[in-house]
Structure formats: C-alpha cells, structure tokens
C-alpha cells in the first residue's frame, strides 16, 4: 500500500508534568503512541478531553434537609465543540447535565463527585459516538443520549438534555 497516496494519521499523547509519574531522578513515563493508520481505513482520530472543571453546577431546586431521602436538583451547562479531525467540520453541542442533590442510593451527591462522573461520562460518550462514525453534524443528540446512560449508572437520576439558557454555560473547545 502506498501510504503517500492515502495519507497517514498518527497521534502521540504525552503525559503532562503534573499528570505523569516521575521518580527522584526526573524520569517520566514514555509517551503513549497510537499506531499510524491509513485514512479511510475505518479508524477515526478522536481527541480532546473534557475535564471536571467544565461542569459548574448551579442549584435549581434546593434540597429540603427536613425531608429525608431524595430531593433537590443541580445543573451544569456545557458548550462543547465537537470536531472531525480529518475534515475540520465542527458543531457546538450545548448540553445540560442535571443531577439530584440527594438520592436514595448515594445520599448527598457532592459537586466534586458530580463533576468527576459527568466528565467521565461525557468523554466515554463522545469517544464512542465519534468512533462509530457518526457524522459530527448530527453527533450531539446521540452523544447526549449515551452520556445520560453512562452517567445514570454512576449517579442514579441524572439527566442530560439541551441547555435551557437558565444556567450559565462553560465552553469547551478541544482545539484551543
């Protein structure tokens, strides 16, 4: 196969100084190398990683501490740019993540826990939807649907839906 004609995609992911392990002599883990594959081979390049800091939760319905069990609701709105690395096409996916403040299974759900689980669910959903070959122009709805399924396994009662404009958004663009 003449790789000059089909083009090759290669990715090298280097651990940041803050996120990699180092010994006393300054040794760092080697970079992760994803093998090069010909374009059009069925493989897709998916990059970017949304972080917990992108989920700033605002209380929409306060929890009544005098009522045991469940209650309260908080939401975070994220405007995330989804981009096809090969074509350069992109779409701004505006999604809101809602979680209970207290649920029967987990009790009080801290903002830190909700942020961590929302970011993990968003990354799994984005990677899965884009790797399946979903055109980026229509990827937002399948992304939200899958994110809700993944998040609801960790945070019972969580929901993912389009932003309603009542919660200040946090923007995420993996190209920045």
């Amino acid at each position: 196969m003449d790789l000059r004609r089909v083009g090759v995609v290669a990715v090298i992911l280097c651990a940041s100084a803050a996120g990699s392990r180092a010994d006393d002599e300054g040794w760092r883990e080697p970079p992760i190398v994803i093998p090069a594959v010909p374009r059009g081979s069925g493989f897709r390049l998916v990059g970017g990683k949304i972080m917990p800091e992108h989920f700033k939760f605002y209380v929409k319905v306060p929890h009544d501490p005098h009522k045991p069990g469940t209650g309260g609701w908080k939401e975070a709105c994220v405007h995330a740019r989804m981009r096809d690395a090969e074509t350069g096409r992109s779409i701004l996916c505006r999604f809101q993540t809602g979680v209970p403040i207290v649920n029967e299974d987990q009790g009080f759900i801290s903002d830190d826990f909700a942020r961590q689980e929302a970011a993990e669910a968003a990354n799994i959903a984005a990677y899965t939807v884009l790797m399946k070959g979903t055109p980026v122009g229509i990827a937002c709805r399948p992304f939200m649907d899958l994110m809700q399924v993944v998040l609801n396994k960790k945070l019972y009662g969580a929901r993912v839906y389009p932003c309603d404009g009542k919660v200040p958004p946090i923007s995420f663009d993996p190209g920045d």
Side-chain angles (χ1 to χ4, degrees):
M1 173 186 299
D2 183 0
L3 294 180
R4 291 174 297 177
R5 281 195 6 232
V6 292
V8 174
V9 177
V11 180
I12 299 177
L13 303 172
C14 297
S16 69
S20 63
R21 290 183 288 171
D23 63 16
D24 293 334
E25 297 171 9
W27 179 88
R28 299 229 181 266
E29 293 178 2
I32 301 167
V33 178
I34 301 172
V37 293
R39 288 184 186 213
S41 64
F43 292 98
R44 293 192 70 172
L45 178 63
V46 175
K49 182 174 183 182
I50 198 163
M51 303 300 289
E53 297 80 38
H54 292 108
F55 292 87
K56 175 145 177 51
F57 284 95
Y58 292 88
V59 174
K60 203 102 180 246
V61 178
H63 170 63
D64 183 350
H66 302 292
K67 293 183 179 176
T70 64
W73 190 253
K74 55 189 170 186
E75 298 176 328
C77 173
V78 178
H79 290 183
R81 173 81 45 202
M82 299 177 104
R83 183 175 287 114
D84 185 317
E86 288 187 18
T87 67
R89 291 186 183 127
S90 70
I91 187 171
L92 188 62
C93 185
R94 298 171 180 94
F95 65 96
Q96 198 153 303
T97 304
V99 298
I101 294 173
V102 177
N103 70 20
E104 286 183 17
D105 294 340
Q106 295 156 307
F108 176 76
I109 297 171
S110 71
D111 283 355
D112 286 342
F113 182 70
R115 284 184 193 115
Q116 182 66 40
E117 296 304 326
E120 184 177 328
N123 286 318
I124 290 169
Y127 180 82
T128 302
V129 167
L130 294 174
M131 284 299 290
K132 283 174 48 178
T134 305
V136 73
I138 61 168
C140 192
R141 183 78 252 174
F143 159 78
M144 286 191 286
D145 292 344
L146 183 56
M147 182 182 168
Q148 179 170 317
V149 169
V150 173
L151 184 58
N152 210 17
K153 289 181 181 182
K154 297 284 184 107
L155 286 170
Y156 181 74
R159 299 285 178 262
V160 180
Y161 37 86
C163 289
D164 64 8
K166 297 176 183 174
V167 175
I170 301 291
S171 294
F172 170 70
D173 188 338
D176 288 345

